[in-house]
Amino acid sequence: KTSAFKALIVRYYAGIFGDVLAKPLGNFAQGIFSGLGKKFFVMGGAESHDKAYRKEHISWWKEEMPTIEEMWRGIDALNAYDWSVDYVISHCAPRSVQIKINKQLFDNDPLVSFLEAVRLDLDFKKWFFGHYHVDKQIGDRFRAIYNNIVAID
């Protein structure tokens, strides 16, 4: 194929995944992580929608977006697990989900398009993401997390 964050009560996983949701900066964790008897696909990164009001290398960095190579590493990890995980944890949402949060505020960009392609091919139970500064359930499988802490199933 070419083409969240429910806070984990276990401190180890909260440390790994919390950074993906809270910080869109470079050196992304992407790949599959196993724990608590579950498999997690993790993909960090985001395009700052308000970078016109920020200063490069002070309040935004071009490295906030994952590179093509980082996205391919994510694809390689999904291939290794036959595109089946329990949970997805990302900073951004797939495009079709992002539109349900705010159609006017957030643009399409390479990362949300990549995540949309992943969404279409991936077998998963739930997808958790940050970035949008809201706590909102979207359908049965998508959850924007900002302040809430919810135990994983």
Side-chain angles (χ1 to χ4, degrees):
K1 299 179 179 183
T2 60
S3 69
F5 174 82
K6 278 192 171 182
L8 302 175
I9 303 307
V10 178
R11 181 171 298 192
Y12 175 76
Y13 289 101
I16 291 172
F17 299 139
D19 282 348
V20 171
L21 294 154
K23 300 174 187 173
L25 300 177
N27 298 321
F28 302 106
Q30 77 273 333
I32 308 287
F33 297 88
S34 296
L36 306 174
K38 307 291 183 191
K39 291 181 292 187
F40 301 84
F41 174 65
V42 177
M43 187 73 202
E47 179 76 31
S48 291
H49 63 275
D50 59 351
K51 67 183 174 187
Y53 306 103
R54 297 176 179 242
K55 294 188 180 232
E56 188 169 6
H57 303 293
I58 294 172
S59 56
W60 81 268
W61 294 258
K62 66 182 178 185
E63 294 85 4
E64 291 175 348
M65 285 289 285
T67 65
I68 294 297
E69 292 79 15
E70 289 167 323
M71 291 184 206
W72 275 111
R73 280 198 299 271
I75 295 289
D76 290 342
L78 290 170
N79 284 334
Y81 282 83
D82 295 322
W83 287 75
S84 180
V85 297
D86 296 294
Y87 301 100
V88 178
I89 299 177
S90 60
H91 188 75
C92 289
R95 179 69 178 143
S96 63
V97 176
Q98 178 178 267
I99 288 170
K100 294 176 182 175
I101 295 168
N102 188 322
K103 190 181 262 186
Q104 285 76 37
L105 183 59
F106 300 103
D107 294 326
N108 194 9
D109 63 54
L111 179 58
V112 297
S113 293
F114 168 80
L115 294 172
E116 182 65 21
V118 168
R119 180 193 70 81
L120 292 171
D121 287 339
L122 186 62
D123 177 29
F124 67 97
K125 293 177 186 173
K126 300 219 180 204
W127 190 312
F128 305 103
F129 52 91
H131 188 58
Y132 306 98
H133 297 214
V134 297
D135 293 297
K136 184 174 183 178
Q137 182 71 39
I138 300 168
D140 293 336
R141 300 193 306 163
F142 296 91
R143 177 78 184 238
I145 299 293
Y146 185 55
N147 290 312
N148 290 348
I149 296 174
V150 183
I152 194 168
D153 298 338

